[in-house]
Amino acid sequence: MLSSAMAVSCEGLFSSGEKGALSISFDRSQFSTRAVAELPDTNEFRLSVKDAKGNGVFEGKFGDLPEQLIVRSGTYDISVRSGVMEKPAFSSPVYGDDQCVIVPEGGVEQVRLVCSQVNSGVRLKVAPDFLTSYPEGLLFLKSGAGKLLYAYREQRIAYFNPGEVSLMLDDGGKQSSLMTRSLAPREVLTIGVSAPAPGGDGSGVGDIVISIDTSRVWTGADVIIGEGDAGDGRNSAMDVHTARANIGKTGVWVYGYVCGAFKSTSSVRTEEPFQSATNCAIGSRKTTDELGSMLSVELKKGELRDEVNLVDNPENLGRIIYLKGDLVEAYYGIPGIKNVTDYLIE
């Protein structure tokens, strides 16, 4: 999963015998609202952490990663992917990030993963005159990893690993290439295919015209996980670790996974049955069970409590929640958020 550029950038750096820690999370402030597909749960993303020699330190689901990964100080390659693309497929965007970081002796390196699309896509817009001119014609997209038949009424995006992709025509068993293009990561093309009749553009009966809609080349677009900013500041929401370092700020957005509810000071339940409807706890991932990686949340009487509390809404456990309020030094014995004025639960 690691890129060759990353491997080169880390080569030659050393690791000492002293230990440090990695704290890895997703940086939601960098996500854009231009995505058109729903992402899988980031807890299901596959995460790889390797030292400078290529030895695996962690391989598995992001949700299974400890809040802090204790490692020897030195250089580490970090790679995360939402999935693996072995062959072309419809509606299969893959998101991920690759970073090379240095863990200091006795310190904690905070890593913020920024998810971008790492594969490429093509969408065809087939004009009605094409079917008239080529009633037996079949269109398919082909790469070195395989091919996909593209039905005339197909609306989905076909995804490929970056590289050359060809648009092919099979006309009664005779195959020909209509165009070939090298696609970059995050590039999604919309290609128009038409075959004007005589008297159209003068190109002759059934001559195929290929056009690329440059307004639909999505290069550089990042991806959103969730509902997006909606103009209210949620895209700049702090994660739990950042919020704990900004105690005293008021009217700020914070996000995290609902991971439990406090039954007494510094005592939290992370599974049913829940006993208190006046509060909840949020963490950086669904599996958070350490108080040092949580924020306590005051649920004042009203809609917020009715919709969020785990006594009445146990299905909220593990869901992402955005909260706008004041960061306080202690609520139920740990840093928390009170006076919530707005929220969104996904």
Short mmCIF file of all heavy atoms in Angstrom, two decimals, residues 289-340:
data_model
loop_
_atom_site.label_atom_id
_atom_site.label_comp_id
_atom_site.label_asym_id
_atom_site.label_seq_id
_atom_site.Cartn_x
_atom_site.Cartn_y
_atom_site.Cartn_z
N ASP A 289 -12.13 3.38 24.79
CA ASP A 289 -12.57 3.01 26.15
C ASP A 289 -11.65 3.57 27.22
O ASP A 289 -11.73 3.19 28.38
CB ASP A 289 -12.67 1.47 26.28
CG ASP A 289 -11.35 0.78 25.99
OD1 ASP A 289 -10.33 1.46 25.77
OD2 ASP A 289 -11.34 -0.47 25.97
N GLU A 290 -10.76 4.49 26.85
CA GLU A 290 -9.84 5.11 27.79
C GLU A 290 -10.29 6.54 28.10
O GLU A 290 -10.52 7.33 27.18
CB GLU A 290 -8.42 5.13 27.23
CG GLU A 290 -7.88 3.74 26.89
CD GLU A 290 -6.56 3.82 26.15
OE1 GLU A 290 -6.01 4.94 26.03
OE2 GLU A 290 -6.07 2.78 25.69
N LEU A 291 -10.40 6.87 29.37
CA LEU A 291 -10.86 8.21 29.76
C LEU A 291 -9.95 9.29 29.20
O LEU A 291 -10.42 10.39 28.88
CB LEU A 291 -10.92 8.31 31.28
CG LEU A 291 -12.04 7.50 31.97
CD1 LEU A 291 -11.90 7.58 33.48
CD2 LEU A 291 -13.41 8.03 31.54
N GLY A 292 -8.66 9.01 29.08
CA GLY A 292 -7.72 10.00 28.57
C GLY A 292 -7.90 10.32 27.11
O GLY A 292 -7.27 11.25 26.60
N SER A 293 -8.76 9.58 26.42
CA SER A 293 -9.02 9.82 25.00
C SER A 293 -10.48 10.15 24.75
O SER A 293 -10.98 10.02 23.62
CB SER A 293 -8.62 8.58 24.19
OG SER A 293 -7.25 8.30 24.34
N MET A 294 -11.18 10.59 25.81
CA MET A 294 -12.61 10.92 25.70
C MET A 294 -12.87 12.37 26.07
O MET A 294 -12.05 13.03 26.72
CB MET A 294 -13.44 10.05 26.65
CG MET A 294 -13.50 8.59 26.32
SD MET A 294 -14.58 7.73 27.53
CE MET A 294 -14.43 6.05 26.95
N LEU A 295 -14.02 12.85 25.66
CA LEU A 295 -14.62 14.09 26.15
C LEU A 295 -15.98 13.74 26.74
O LEU A 295 -16.73 12.96 26.15
CB LEU A 295 -14.82 15.10 25.02
CG LEU A 295 -13.67 15.97 24.55
CD1 LEU A 295 -14.12 16.81 23.37
CD2 LEU A 295 -13.15 16.87 25.66
N SER A 296 -16.28 14.30 27.89
CA SER A 296 -17.63 14.16 28.45
C SER A 296 -18.51 15.24 27.83
O SER A 296 -18.04 16.33 27.50
CB SER A 296 -17.60 14.32 29.97
OG SER A 296 -16.95 15.54 30.33
N VAL A 297 -19.79 14.94 27.65
CA VAL A 297 -20.71 15.88 27.00
C VAL A 297 -21.94 16.07 27.88
O VAL A 297 -22.61 15.09 28.25
CB VAL A 297 -21.15 15.37 25.61
CG1 VAL A 297 -22.11 16.35 24.96
CG2 VAL A 297 -19.94 15.12 24.73
N GLU A 298 -22.23 17.31 28.19
CA GLU A 298 -23.43 17.64 28.94
C GLU A 298 -24.63 17.64 28.00
O GLU A 298 -24.63 18.33 26.97
CB GLU A 298 -23.28 19.02 29.58
CG GLU A 298 -24.53 19.51 30.32
CD GLU A 298 -24.42 20.95 30.74
OE1 GLU A 298 -24.08 21.80 29.89
OE2 GLU A 298 -24.69 21.24 31.92
N LEU A 299 -25.65 16.86 28.33
CA LEU A 299 -26.88 16.81 27.53
C LEU A 299 -27.98 17.49 28.31
O LEU A 299 -28.65 16.89 29.16
CB LEU A 299 -27.25 15.36 27.23
CG LEU A 299 -26.21 14.51 26.48
CD1 LEU A 299 -26.72 13.08 26.29
CD2 LEU A 299 -25.85 15.14 25.14
N LYS A 300 -28.17 18.77 28.03
CA LYS A 300 -29.21 19.53 28.73
C LYS A 300 -30.59 19.03 28.31
O LYS A 300 -30.79 18.52 27.22
CB LYS A 300 -29.07 21.02 28.44
CG LYS A 300 -27.89 21.68 29.15
CD LYS A 300 -27.91 23.18 28.97
CE LYS A 300 -26.82 23.85 29.80
NZ LYS A 300 -26.83 25.32 29.63
N LYS A 301 -31.54 19.22 29.21
CA LYS A 301 -32.90 18.78 28.95
C LYS A 301 -33.45 19.45 27.72
O LYS A 301 -33.30 20.65 27.50
CB LYS A 301 -33.78 19.12 30.16
CG LYS A 301 -35.19 18.55 30.07
CD LYS A 301 -35.98 18.83 31.34
CE LYS A 301 -37.38 18.23 31.26
NZ LYS A 301 -38.15 18.49 32.52
N GLY A 302 -34.09 18.66 26.87
CA GLY A 302 -34.64 19.18 25.63
C GLY A 302 -34.32 18.26 24.46
O GLY A 302 -34.05 17.07 24.65
N GLU A 303 -34.31 18.82 23.28
CA GLU A 303 -34.11 18.02 22.07
C GLU A 303 -32.78 17.29 22.08
O GLU A 303 -32.69 16.13 21.70
CB GLU A 303 -34.19 18.91 20.83
CG GLU A 303 -33.96 18.16 19.52
CD GLU A 303 -33.95 19.07 18.31
OE1 GLU A 303 -34.62 20.13 18.35
OE2 GLU A 303 -33.26 18.72 17.33
N LEU A 304 -31.70 17.99 22.51
CA LEU A 304 -30.38 17.37 22.53
C LEU A 304 -30.38 16.09 23.35
O LEU A 304 -29.93 15.04 22.89
CB LEU A 304 -29.35 18.36 23.08
CG LEU A 304 -27.93 17.82 23.27
CD1 LEU A 304 -27.31 17.47 21.93
CD2 LEU A 304 -27.06 18.84 24.02
N ARG A 305 -30.90 16.17 24.57
CA ARG A 305 -30.94 14.99 25.43
C ARG A 305 -31.86 13.92 24.85
O ARG A 305 -31.52 12.74 24.83
CB ARG A 305 -31.40 15.36 26.84
CG ARG A 305 -31.45 14.17 27.80
CD ARG A 305 -31.99 14.55 29.15
NE ARG A 305 -31.12 15.51 29.82
CZ ARG A 305 -31.39 16.01 31.04
NH1 ARG A 305 -32.49 15.66 31.68
NH2 ARG A 305 -30.55 16.88 31.58
N ASP A 306 -33.02 14.35 24.35
CA ASP A 306 -33.99 13.39 23.82
C ASP A 306 -33.42 12.60 22.64
O ASP A 306 -33.69 11.40 22.51
CB ASP A 306 -35.27 14.12 23.37
CG ASP A 306 -36.02 14.74 24.53
OD1 ASP A 306 -35.78 14.34 25.69
OD2 ASP A 306 -36.85 15.64 24.27
N GLU A 307 -32.63 13.27 21.79
CA GLU A 307 -32.15 12.64 20.57
C GLU A 307 -30.82 11.91 20.73
O GLU A 307 -30.52 10.98 19.97
CB GLU A 307 -32.00 13.69 19.46
CG GLU A 307 -33.30 14.35 19.04
CD GLU A 307 -34.24 13.37 18.37
OE1 GLU A 307 -33.76 12.45 17.69
OE2 GLU A 307 -35.46 13.53 18.53
N VAL A 308 -30.01 12.30 21.72
CA VAL A 308 -28.65 11.79 21.81
C VAL A 308 -28.44 10.77 22.92
O VAL A 308 -27.67 9.82 22.75
CB VAL A 308 -27.65 12.97 21.97
CG1 VAL A 308 -26.23 12.45 22.19
CG2 VAL A 308 -27.71 13.88 20.75
N ASN A 309 -29.10 10.92 24.07
CA ASN A 309 -28.78 10.09 25.23
C ASN A 309 -28.90 8.59 24.91
O ASN A 309 -29.77 8.16 24.14
CB ASN A 309 -29.65 10.48 26.43
CG ASN A 309 -30.97 9.76 26.46
OD1 ASN A 309 -31.07 8.61 26.91
ND2 ASN A 309 -32.02 10.42 25.95
N LEU A 310 -28.02 7.81 25.51
CA LEU A 310 -27.93 6.38 25.19
C LEU A 310 -28.93 5.51 25.94
O LEU A 310 -29.16 4.36 25.55
CB LEU A 310 -26.51 5.88 25.47
CG LEU A 310 -25.44 6.43 24.52
CD1 LEU A 310 -24.05 6.01 24.97
CD2 LEU A 310 -25.70 5.97 23.09
N VAL A 311 -29.54 6.04 26.99
CA VAL A 311 -30.57 5.27 27.69
C VAL A 311 -31.76 5.05 26.77
O VAL A 311 -32.28 3.93 26.64
CB VAL A 311 -31.01 6.00 28.98
CG1 VAL A 311 -32.18 5.26 29.64
CG2 VAL A 311 -29.84 6.12 29.95
N ASP A 312 -32.19 6.13 26.10
CA ASP A 312 -33.33 6.05 25.20
C ASP A 312 -32.95 5.76 23.75
O ASP A 312 -33.79 5.36 22.95
CB ASP A 312 -34.12 7.37 25.25
CG ASP A 312 -34.63 7.69 26.65
OD1 ASP A 312 -35.16 6.77 27.31
OD2 ASP A 312 -34.46 8.84 27.09
N ASN A 313 -31.67 5.99 23.42
CA ASN A 313 -31.22 5.82 22.03
C ASN A 313 -29.93 4.99 21.98
O ASN A 313 -28.88 5.48 21.54
CB ASN A 313 -30.97 7.19 21.39
CG ASN A 313 -32.14 8.14 21.53
OD1 ASN A 313 -33.12 8.04 20.81
ND2 ASN A 313 -32.02 9.08 22.47
N PRO A 314 -29.98 3.75 22.44
CA PRO A 314 -28.76 2.94 22.45
C PRO A 314 -28.15 2.74 21.07
O PRO A 314 -26.97 2.44 20.94
CB PRO A 314 -29.21 1.61 23.06
CG PRO A 314 -30.69 1.56 22.81
CD PRO A 314 -31.15 2.98 22.92
N GLU A 315 -28.97 2.94 20.01
CA GLU A 315 -28.47 2.79 18.64
C GLU A 315 -27.47 3.89 18.28
O GLU A 315 -26.76 3.80 17.26
CB GLU A 315 -29.62 2.79 17.64
CG GLU A 315 -30.35 4.11 17.48
CD GLU A 315 -31.41 4.36 18.53
OE1 GLU A 315 -31.54 3.53 19.47
OE2 GLU A 315 -32.13 5.37 18.41
N ASN A 316 -27.39 4.95 19.10
CA ASN A 316 -26.43 6.02 18.84
C ASN A 316 -25.00 5.62 19.18
O ASN A 316 -24.06 6.30 18.77
CB ASN A 316 -26.79 7.27 19.65
CG ASN A 316 -27.97 8.03 19.06
OD1 ASN A 316 -28.35 7.79 17.92
ND2 ASN A 316 -28.57 8.91 19.84
N LEU A 317 -24.83 4.55 19.91
CA LEU A 317 -23.48 4.10 20.27
C LEU A 317 -22.69 3.80 18.99
O LEU A 317 -23.12 3.04 18.15
CB LEU A 317 -23.56 2.85 21.15
CG LEU A 317 -22.22 2.37 21.74
CD1 LEU A 317 -21.70 3.38 22.75
CD2 LEU A 317 -22.39 1.00 22.41
N GLY A 318 -21.53 4.44 18.87
CA GLY A 318 -20.69 4.24 17.71
C GLY A 318 -20.94 5.19 16.56
O GLY A 318 -20.21 5.18 15.57
N ARG A 319 -21.96 6.05 16.67
CA ARG A 319 -22.24 7.00 15.61
C ARG A 319 -21.39 8.26 15.78
O ARG A 319 -21.00 8.62 16.89
CB ARG A 319 -23.73 7.38 15.59
CG ARG A 319 -24.64 6.24 15.24
CD ARG A 319 -26.10 6.63 15.33
NE ARG A 319 -26.48 7.61 14.32
CZ ARG A 319 -27.70 8.17 14.24
NH1 ARG A 319 -28.64 7.83 15.12
NH2 ARG A 319 -27.97 9.04 13.31
N ILE A 320 -21.12 8.95 14.68
CA ILE A 320 -20.38 10.21 14.73
C ILE A 320 -21.32 11.33 15.12
O ILE A 320 -22.45 11.41 14.62
CB ILE A 320 -19.73 10.53 13.37
CG1 ILE A 320 -18.63 9.52 13.06
CG2 ILE A 320 -19.14 11.94 13.35
CD1 ILE A 320 -18.00 9.71 11.70
N ILE A 321 -20.88 12.21 16.01
CA ILE A 321 -21.68 13.35 16.41
C ILE A 321 -20.84 14.62 16.35
O ILE A 321 -19.64 14.61 16.68
CB ILE A 321 -22.26 13.17 17.84
CG1 ILE A 321 -23.27 14.28 18.14
CG2 ILE A 321 -21.17 13.10 18.90
CD1 ILE A 321 -24.09 14.05 19.40
N TYR A 322 -21.43 15.70 15.87
CA TYR A 322 -20.84 17.03 15.88
C TYR A 322 -21.57 17.83 16.96
O TYR A 322 -22.80 17.81 17.03
CB TYR A 322 -21.02 17.73 14.53
CG TYR A 322 -20.19 17.16 13.40
CD1 TYR A 322 -20.62 16.04 12.70
CD2 TYR A 322 -19.01 17.76 13.02
CE1 TYR A 322 -19.87 15.53 11.65
CE2 TYR A 322 -18.25 17.26 11.96
CZ TYR A 322 -18.70 16.14 11.29
OH TYR A 322 -17.96 15.64 10.24
N LEU A 323 -20.80 18.57 17.76
CA LEU A 323 -21.38 19.36 18.83
C LEU A 323 -20.75 20.74 18.84
O LEU A 323 -19.52 20.87 18.71
CB LEU A 323 -21.13 18.69 20.19
CG LEU A 323 -21.72 17.29 20.38
CD1 LEU A 323 -20.86 16.49 21.35
CD2 LEU A 323 -23.16 17.38 20.88
N LYS A 324 -21.56 21.78 19.01
CA LYS A 324 -21.06 23.15 19.14
C LYS A 324 -21.33 23.61 20.57
O LYS A 324 -22.47 23.64 21.01
CB LYS A 324 -21.75 24.08 18.15
CG LYS A 324 -21.18 25.50 18.17
CD LYS A 324 -21.87 26.38 17.15
CE LYS A 324 -21.27 27.78 17.14
NZ LYS A 324 -21.96 28.64 16.15
N GLY A 325 -20.25 23.92 21.29
CA GLY A 325 -20.42 24.33 22.68
C GLY A 325 -19.12 24.85 23.27
O GLY A 325 -18.20 25.25 22.54
N ASP A 326 -19.04 24.84 24.61
CA ASP A 326 -17.90 25.37 25.33
C ASP A 326 -17.05 24.24 25.89
O ASP A 326 -17.58 23.29 26.49
CB ASP A 326 -18.37 26.26 26.49
CG ASP A 326 -19.27 27.40 26.02
OD1 ASP A 326 -19.15 27.80 24.84
OD2 ASP A 326 -20.08 27.89 26.84
N LEU A 327 -15.74 24.34 25.71
CA LEU A 327 -14.82 23.32 26.23
C LEU A 327 -14.45 23.66 27.67
O LEU A 327 -13.94 24.75 27.95
CB LEU A 327 -13.56 23.26 25.35
CG LEU A 327 -13.81 22.82 23.90
CD1 LEU A 327 -12.52 22.92 23.09
CD2 LEU A 327 -14.36 21.41 23.84
N VAL A 328 -14.71 22.73 28.57
CA VAL A 328 -14.46 22.96 29.99
C VAL A 328 -13.41 21.99 30.51
O VAL A 328 -13.20 20.91 29.97
CB VAL A 328 -15.76 22.82 30.81
CG1 VAL A 328 -16.78 23.87 30.37
CG2 VAL A 328 -16.35 21.42 30.68
N GLU A 329 -12.73 22.41 31.58
CA GLU A 329 -11.64 21.61 32.13
C GLU A 329 -12.11 20.30 32.73
O GLU A 329 -11.42 19.28 32.63
CB GLU A 329 -10.89 22.42 33.19
CG GLU A 329 -9.66 21.73 33.76
CD GLU A 329 -8.89 22.62 34.70
OE1 GLU A 329 -9.28 23.78 34.89
OE2 GLU A 329 -7.87 22.15 35.24
N ALA A 330 -13.29 20.32 33.34
CA ALA A 330 -13.75 19.09 33.98
C ALA A 330 -15.27 19.01 33.98
O ALA A 330 -15.97 19.96 34.35
CB ALA A 330 -13.24 19.00 35.41
N TYR A 331 -15.77 17.89 33.50
CA TYR A 331 -17.19 17.51 33.60
C TYR A 331 -17.17 16.00 33.74
O TYR A 331 -16.62 15.29 32.90
CB TYR A 331 -17.96 17.97 32.36
CG TYR A 331 -19.43 17.61 32.38
CD1 TYR A 331 -20.27 18.11 33.37
CD2 TYR A 331 -19.98 16.77 31.41
CE1 TYR A 331 -21.62 17.77 33.40
CE2 TYR A 331 -21.32 16.44 31.42
CZ TYR A 331 -22.14 16.94 32.43
OH TYR A 331 -23.47 16.60 32.45
N TYR A 332 -17.73 15.50 34.81
CA TYR A 332 -17.62 14.09 35.17
C TYR A 332 -16.14 13.67 35.29
O TYR A 332 -15.77 12.55 34.92
CB TYR A 332 -18.37 13.21 34.18
CG TYR A 332 -19.84 13.07 34.52
CD1 TYR A 332 -20.76 13.97 34.01
CD2 TYR A 332 -20.29 12.07 35.37
CE1 TYR A 332 -22.11 13.87 34.32
CE2 TYR A 332 -21.63 11.96 35.69
CZ TYR A 332 -22.54 12.86 35.18
OH TYR A 332 -23.87 12.77 35.50
N GLY A 333 -15.33 14.58 35.78
CA GLY A 333 -13.95 14.25 36.11
C GLY A 333 -12.94 14.33 34.99
O GLY A 333 -11.75 14.12 35.22
N ILE A 334 -13.38 14.61 33.75
CA ILE A 334 -12.45 14.73 32.63
C ILE A 334 -12.83 15.96 31.80
O ILE A 334 -13.93 16.51 31.98
CB ILE A 334 -12.47 13.48 31.74
CG1 ILE A 334 -13.83 13.33 31.04
CG2 ILE A 334 -12.13 12.22 32.54
CD1 ILE A 334 -13.82 12.27 29.94
N PRO A 335 -11.95 16.42 30.89
CA PRO A 335 -12.33 17.53 30.01
C PRO A 335 -13.62 17.22 29.26
O PRO A 335 -13.87 16.06 28.90
CB PRO A 335 -11.14 17.64 29.06
CG PRO A 335 -9.99 17.13 29.86
CD PRO A 335 -10.55 16.00 30.68
N GLY A 336 -14.43 18.27 29.05
CA GLY A 336 -15.72 18.03 28.42
C GLY A 336 -16.23 19.22 27.63
O GLY A 336 -15.54 20.25 27.49
N ILE A 337 -17.43 19.07 27.12
CA ILE A 337 -18.10 20.13 26.38
C ILE A 337 -19.47 20.36 26.98
O ILE A 337 -20.24 19.42 27.17
CB ILE A 337 -18.17 19.80 24.87
CG1 ILE A 337 -18.84 20.94 24.10
CG2 ILE A 337 -18.88 18.48 24.60
CD1 ILE A 337 -18.67 20.83 22.59
N LYS A 338 -19.74 21.62 27.32
CA LYS A 338 -21.00 22.01 27.94
C LYS A 338 -21.65 23.12 27.13
O LYS A 338 -21.07 23.65 26.20
CB LYS A 338 -20.78 22.46 29.40
CG LYS A 338 -20.14 21.40 30.29
CD LYS A 338 -19.98 21.88 31.73
CE LYS A 338 -21.33 22.00 32.42
NZ LYS A 338 -21.18 22.33 33.86
N ASN A 339 -22.89 23.46 27.53
CA ASN A 339 -23.64 24.55 26.89
C ASN A 339 -23.73 24.35 25.37
O ASN A 339 -23.46 25.26 24.58
CB ASN A 339 -22.99 25.91 27.21
CG ASN A 339 -22.87 26.15 28.69
OD1 ASN A 339 -23.78 25.86 29.46
ND2 ASN A 339 -21.71 26.67 29.11
N VAL A 340 -24.11 23.16 24.96
CA VAL A 340 -24.22 22.82 23.54
C VAL A 340 -25.38 23.60 22.91
O VAL A 340 -26.51 23.54 23.40
CB VAL A 340 -24.41 21.30 23.36
CG1 VAL A 340 -24.63 20.98 21.88
CG2 VAL A 340 -23.21 20.54 23.90
#
